[in-house]
Amino acid sequence: MDLGINGKTALVLGASQGLGSAIAEKLAAEGADVVLVARNAEKLDANAARLSSAYGIDATTVVVDLSDAAAVAEFAARVRDEIKPDMLVANAGGPPPSISTGIDQTVWQRSAQTLLFSIIQVTEAAVDAMKEKGWGRVLAIGSSGVIQPIPNLAVSNTIRGAVAGFCKTLAAEVAGDGITVNMILPGKIDTDRVGQLDTARAGREGKTLEQVRTEIAASLPIKRYGQPEEFASVAAFLLSDPAGYVTGQMTRVDGGMIRSI
């Protein structure tokens, strides 16, 4: 299938590793130019060089800390006036494991800035640019915790739920401008972030990491962890031209982990 994104520009947040990096690669393979955003300049530069060499596309980088409100404001201005993306992958690293109470306010504030306020500000800037073109795709990476709250991830469950509300509302407002807004929800995708969460669980439960991963895989209908490339393939479709009639949706890529309809 031709995704119709050859020559278009994708702005990918959190692109230094994990799901963001996998999506950036899938889009580059389809001929899209990519602007990679994260805090780690070394990893970004290495990714950009690799994608440019492998796929012959234009890969550039912007170093931004999404927890820094002032830096995000400057970056949003660049998005609106300079980068003008056709596609936005709204992705940010998750907060540390936590229960619902007794969490330091600085954790709530930093997490809300990173996962919610910065995402809103960058999305608004990207959408302004997309409206000028009459075509655009916004895809927010969420979590299965939006549908079924994940134990010991209270901060993530709370803030990502707010992002879901923002995306659903925005989708209806910009659909007439040729812009779709969707959310994609990973389950147990084998990334460093999931590895960190599994390691924390192993410590809490007094088990080895291998024991925890074996138990988790056995609990999934598909009996294995997903691969970032599998997740990225679904993301790329939602960002594509053929997906132009799909908006306001939350798409699960979780191997059947969430059992509700």
Side-chain angles (χ1 to χ4, degrees):
M1 177 186 292
D2 181 3
L3 297 188
I5 58 175
N6 183 67
K8 292 187 180 297
T9 299
L11 177 62
V12 184
L13 309 185
S16 62
Q17 61 185 358
L19 299 179
S21 178
I23 293 172
E25 176 146 12
K26 187 66 66 173
L27 297 176
E30 292 291 333
D33 296 325
V34 292
V35 181
L36 310 179
V37 180
R39 291 175 298 177
N40 190 312
E42 184 176 352
K43 287 185 178 181
L44 283 180
D45 290 343
N47 274 356
R50 179 176 57 83
L51 295 180
S52 180
S53 175
Y55 304 109
I57 53 89
D58 184 19
T60 56
T61 66
V62 182
V63 177
V64 179
D65 182 350
L66 293 180
S67 69
D68 184 336
V72 170
E74 292 181 7
F75 174 57
R78 287 189 62 187
V79 171
R80 179 180 289 106
D81 301 329
E82 176 188 337
I83 299 172
K84 298 184 177 182
D86 301 287
M87 297 165 278
L88 169 65
V89 178
N91 174 43
S98 63
I99 60 173
S100 300
T101 58
I103 306 304
D104 192 285
Q105 286 301 301
T106 58
V107 174
W108 282 108
Q109 291 163 0
R110 181 182 179 87
S111 299
Q113 179 63 55
T114 300
L115 290 170
L116 179 61
F117 301 132
S118 292
I119 293 299
I120 289 173
Q121 192 167 13
V122 174
T123 300
E124 182 177 351
V127 165
D128 283 348
M130 293 172 188
K131 285 180 178 179
E132 295 177 4
K133 305 176 185 184
W135 193 98
R137 300 287 183 265
V138 175
L139 183 64
I141 299 181
S143 163
S144 59
V146 173
I147 302 295
Q148 179 177 295
I150 302 170
N152 209 50
L153 284 181
V155 176
S156 176
N157 296 336
T158 301
I159 298 174
R160 292 194 193 277
V163 176
F166 169 73
C167 288
K168 182 66 173 177
T169 306
L170 177 64
E173 295 173 351
V174 300
D177 297 300
I179 303 168
T180 68
V181 183
N182 292 290
M183 196 170 208
I184 184 169
L185 309 181
K188 283 294 182 178
I189 309 297
D190 201 4
T191 62
D192 288 344
R193 162 72 172 172
V194 167
Q196 292 165 3
L197 295 176
D198 289 350
T199 299
R201 175 173 168 177
R204 292 195 306 272
E205 298 181 1
K207 299 176 180 177
T208 67
L209 178 59
E210 183 178 0
Q211 285 177 315
V212 167
R213 289 175 64 87
T214 298
E215 291 174 4
I216 290 173
S219 73
L220 301 173
I222 206 166
K223 304 303 180 187
R224 65 176 177 84
Y225 282 58
Q227 294 303 306
E229 296 78 12
E230 294 174 302
F231 182 86
S233 292
V234 180
F237 172 73
L238 292 171
L239 290 159
S240 74
D241 194 55
Y245 207 64
V246 180
T247 195
Q249 303 298 311
M250 289 195 293
T251 300
R252 307 175 196 173
V253 185
D254 66 359
M257 183 178 74
I258 299 299
R259 305 304 177 95
S260 64
I261 294 174

